[in-house]
Amino acid sequence: MALFSAASSALLAVPITGKITLDGKLDEPDWQRAPVSANFTENMPREKQPARDRTEVRVLYDSEAIYFGVRGFDPEPSQIHAPFVRRDKVFGNQDNFILWIDPTGAKKFAQFFRVNPRGVLADGVWNEDNSDEDWSPDFDFEAVPARLVDGWSAEFRIPWASLRLPHPTPEKLNFIVFRNQPRETRIRTTNVVLGRDPSCFLCVAEELTGLRDLPKTSGLTVTPYLAVNSSRARVGEQTSSETKFSAGADIKWRPSPEWVLDATFRPDFSQLELDTPQLKGNTRFALSVQEKRPFFLEGTDLYSTPYNLIYTRSITDPLWGARATYRSERTDATLLTVHDRGGGFVILPGTYYSDARNQGGSTSTFARVRVPFAAGEGNGSLGALLSDRTYDDGTTNRTASVDGLFRPNNESRVRAQLFASSTDDRVLNVKNDGHAAYVDGSFDDGVHHAFISATSISPKFRSDNSIVTQNGIDAVKFEAWRCIKREGFFNNICPGLFGGETHASNGEALQRYVTPQIYANGNRNSEWSLQPRWANYARVQEAGRWHHTPTLYAKGEGNPGGWLPYAFVEVEGGRGVDVAADTLARSLFAGVTLNTRPHERVELEWKVSDFRLNDIDSGRWRLHERLMQLVGIGYLTAQDTLRLIAQHTRSERNASMYPFAVIPRSQTQAISLVYSHKRGLGREFNLGVTQGNVRASAQPNRATTEVFAKLSWAFVL
C-alpha cells in the first residue's frame, strides 16, 4: 500500500444552522441531516475484520468550533464500563471514544481527544515520527456523553482556537476515530483499516471535507495565580520556618493560526503530585522523571528527535520563560528560552557512570525546526536542533544536531541523527568538544517485526539541556519477532529475539546480550512476556571484570475487572552485579502495581518494588532496596477530588560485605493530601499539605512539613 494512497472514504462536515446543546444525545436536526461514517473495522483482537457492533460518526461546524458526534451501539449496554477517573486517565480498561485530528495535513503529528461514558476527558499529542503518545498537553475542549438503551453516544466540541490549524485552512482535514470496548477481551475498532500496532498511523486517516469560510484562529489567554506556602524544616535539632506569598502568570497568545506564543513570569512549579519513587541504589546513571509543568508542554512533539537532546526537567527553578511555536503544512518550529535560578544538578556523563555538580543560575535556550517532505510513494522529514545553556558563572554548553526520517512505505522507517557539543566549564576548568551519531531502521507489517540501531558518542560529548548520561561508547541493538494470530485466550503470540553490544571508545566491551522472548496478548487486555536472559554480560568499571549475569525475566499485566481494574507484575531473578564492589551477586527483583476500586468513587493504586543482592558464596545479603507507594483518589463531585499520596523508600547495605565505608541504611518517607476543585482548563483551586523526612546512618534526620494553597484562573481575552 502506498503511503499517500487515497483514503477509502471521505466524510462531509456540514455547517450548523440551529443550536447544538451539548448533552451527548445527537438529537438536534443538524445531527440528523449530517452524513454518517459507519464503516468501522476491528483491529484488536481481530485485525482488519468488520466491527462487531455498529459505530457512527457525524461532524458539524460553525465559526467558533468543530463538533463530532459519535454513537456506539451495544447489545449489552449494562456491560459498558464507565468509572470515575482523573483527567488524562481514560485508558483501554474503560469504554471510550477517541478523536485523532491532524490539523496541518502534514501527517507528522495529531491532537487527540478522549471521553469515557462518565464524561471524564483526556487529551494530548501524537508524534508520528517516533509513534509516541504524549498526555502532558491539555487543550480547551468539551465532550459530553449520554447513556442510551442500546449503547452510548458523545458530543465533542473543539474550538478552532484549540486546533493548530494553519491559514488558509486546508480543504481537507485528516482524522481517525477509535472506539474502545473492554469486555472479556478488549475490543478496539476504528473508522479506517488499521493493524493492531501499525508502523504508520496517520498515513491511513480518513479525510474530512466540506469545511468552508473558517475564521483565522487567534486569541489571548492569561492565567494568573496566587499561592501561599508555609513550610517548617527540622535538620537534626535545628528548626526553621518560612511563609511565602507568591504571584505570577502564564500567557498564551495566538496572533495568527500558525503561531502560538507562550510566556511565564515567576511560575509556581511546585509539584501537586509527588514524583514516583525509583530504585537507584544499584544504578550507575542518572534517572529521568516525567515533565508535568504546563509551560513546557506546547509543541512537545517537536522536542523529540531520534536521540533525545531535550529534557526540560533539567531546568530547575525558572524565573521567567518565553516560547514561540510555529506549525504549518510545510514547516514546524519552536524556540524557547528560560532563565533558571538553579538549585539542581548538572549531569556529567561518563562511560562507566554519570556524575553531577551543583547547578547555578543559567539561561537555557533551544530551537527546533522540522520540515516534512514527500519522495515517490513515501514521506519523511528533515530537522535541526540548537541548544544552549549559559550559566551565570560564565560556563557554557552548546549542542547542535541535524536529523532525518524516511518512510518508503507504510511498514518501513529509517532515521538518522548527527550531533555535536561544545563545553566551557568554568567550575571544573575544562573546555572540550564532542560529537555523536545515531541511526536506526525498522520494519513492521503487523506480523513480522525487525529493528536495528547503532549509536556512537565521543568521550567529551555533553548536553546540559538533556539527560545524556553516558558518553564514550559505541553500541548496536537489534530485535526481531513474528506474531501468530489466533482465536482464544491468547490472540497474539510473538516469539522473537533481541540483543545488543556496547563498547567503550577504547574498545573495551561494556555490555553484550542476546535474549529470546515470548510475548503474547490475551483476554482482559492482558500482555505477557517471558525472557530467559542467559547470554547477558556486563562490565561496570574501567578495566574491571567481565561478568556473566544470566537471569530469567517474566512480566504480566491486564485488566481483570470488577474491584481490580488493573494489575501489573514483573519478576527477575538470577545473577547481577553489585556495582559498588564490582562483584557478582545473586539478584532478585519483584514489582507489583494494583489499581483497586473498593467503591465507584474511590480509586486506590498500590505500587511495591523489592530488589535484593546476596553474596554468591556465603548467601549473606549485600543490598536490599524496596519502595512502596499508595495513591488514593476520592471523587467527591465532577469538579472536586481529594488525593492522597503516601510513599516510602528504604535502602540497606551490609557494611561487613564491603572493604570500604558504605551508608548502612537510608530511607525517605513522604505523604501528601491535596483537595482540588477544577472548573475547567486553567481554572482551579488546590489546598494541600505535604510531610516528608529523610534518614540516613550517621547523618542528621531531615523532616519538612509544607502547607500550601494555590488559585489560578484563566481569562480568555
Side-chain angles (χ1 to χ4, degrees), residues 120-359:
V120 182
L121 307 182
D123 53 1
V125 170
W126 169 263
N127 185 344
E128 186 66 73
D129 282 354
N130 61 7
S131 300
D132 180 56
E133 205 173 32
D134 185 355
W135 298 78
S136 302
D138 289 326
F139 303 107
D140 182 19
F141 82 104
E142 300 173 85
V144 179
R147 299 291 291 268
L148 308 172
V149 295
D150 55 358
W152 72 290
S153 59
E155 292 174 305
F156 292 77
R157 182 184 184 275
I158 306 171
W160 294 118
S162 294
L163 293 174
R164 301 305 182 241
L165 296 172
H167 189 80
T169 305
E171 294 182 0
K172 301 175 182 178
L173 291 182
N174 303 314
F175 77 101
I176 297 176
V177 179
F178 270 48
R179 180 185 180 185
N180 192 71
Q181 296 172 271
R183 301 298 184 265
E184 183 62 28
T185 186
R186 179 186 175 189
I187 303 170
R188 189 177 69 188
T189 56
T190 57
N191 63 321
V192 294
V193 179
L194 279 172
R196 183 186 182 107
D197 297 299
S199 59
C200 186
F201 181 66
L202 297 176
C203 305
V204 295
E206 185 173 355
E207 292 179 348
L208 181 67
T209 63
L211 301 173
R212 298 287 187 272
D213 303 322
L214 299 183
K216 292 183 66 174
T217 53
S218 62
L220 174 66
T221 301
V222 180
T223 308
Y225 84 89
L226 295 171
V228 58
N229 180 298
S230 180
S231 62
R232 178 181 176 86
R234 185 178 73 251
V235 180
E237 300 300 321
Q238 302 294 319
T239 62
S240 61
S241 59
E242 182 181 25
T243 299
K244 295 190 300 182
F245 293 88
S246 56
D250 291 332
I251 300 172
K252 184 180 290 290
W253 179 35
R254 194 170 182 183
S256 70
E258 294 86 0
W259 286 97
V260 176
L261 306 181
D262 291 271
T264 188
F265 178 69
R266 302 187 65 87
D268 175 42
F269 283 160
S270 60
Q271 288 291 302
L272 295 177
E273 293 193 44
L274 302 177
D275 288 326
T276 302
Q278 303 178 74
L279 297 175
K280 52 189 176 183
N282 199 48
T283 59
R284 296 181 289 139
F285 300 103
L287 303 175
S288 64
V289 291
Q290 181 184 3
E291 180 61 87
K292 302 175 182 178
R293 302 172 295 180
F295 171 72
F296 293 103
L297 302 181
E298 177 73 41
T300 53
D301 64 296
L302 293 177
Y303 305 157
S304 177
T305 56
Y307 194 97
N308 193 8
L309 290 178
I310 297 297
Y311 176 61
T312 53
R313 284 293 292 262
S314 66
I315 300 171
T316 308
D317 186 16
L319 174 63
W320 57 262
R323 182 180 63 245
T325 304
Y326 176 87
R327 289 195 185 275
S328 73
E329 186 177 1
R330 296 181 178 86
T331 306
D332 295 324
T334 188
L335 171 66
L336 182 147
T337 185
V338 179
H339 181 68
D340 186 3
R341 288 171 284 194
F345 297 94
V346 179
I347 296 175
L348 306 175
T351 302
Y352 297 88
Y353 59 89
S354 59
D355 204 347
R357 70 165 176 83
N358 289 332
Q359 177 195 81

Side-chain angles (χ1 to χ4, degrees), residues 37 56 245 328 381 449 551 636 646 673 699:
S37 173
E56 299 177 347
F245 293 88
S328 73
S381 63
H449 172 87
T551 65
L636 307 179
L673 182 65
Q699 296 182 15

Side-chain angles (χ1 to χ4, degrees), residues 626-643:
R626 61 179 175 268
L627 65 84
M628 296 177 286
Q629 184 187 60
L630 168 65
V631 179
I633 309 292
Y635 299 95
L636 307 179
T637 70
Q639 293 84 29
D640 301 272
T641 60
L642 191 64
R643 192 216 61 224

Side-chain angles (χ1 to χ4, degrees), residues 693-708:
N693 62 67
V694 179
R695 300 177 183 177
S697 301
Q699 296 182 15
N701 295 341
R702 178 179 178 84
T704 58
T705 301
E706 178 183 10
V707 179
F708 63 88

Side-chain angles (χ1 to χ4, degrees), residues 13 96 173 193 227 244 266 298 318 322 327 381 385 393 415-416 462-463 579 610 612 636 668 677 689:
N96 59 68
L173 291 182
V193 179
K244 295 190 300 182
R266 302 187 65 87
E298 177 73 41
R327 289 195 185 275
S381 63
L385 174 71
D393 62 13
R415 302 186 301 177
R462 175 174 148 185
S463 180
V579 300
D610 187 275
R612 299 168 185 259
L636 307 179
T668 64
H677 175 77
V689 57

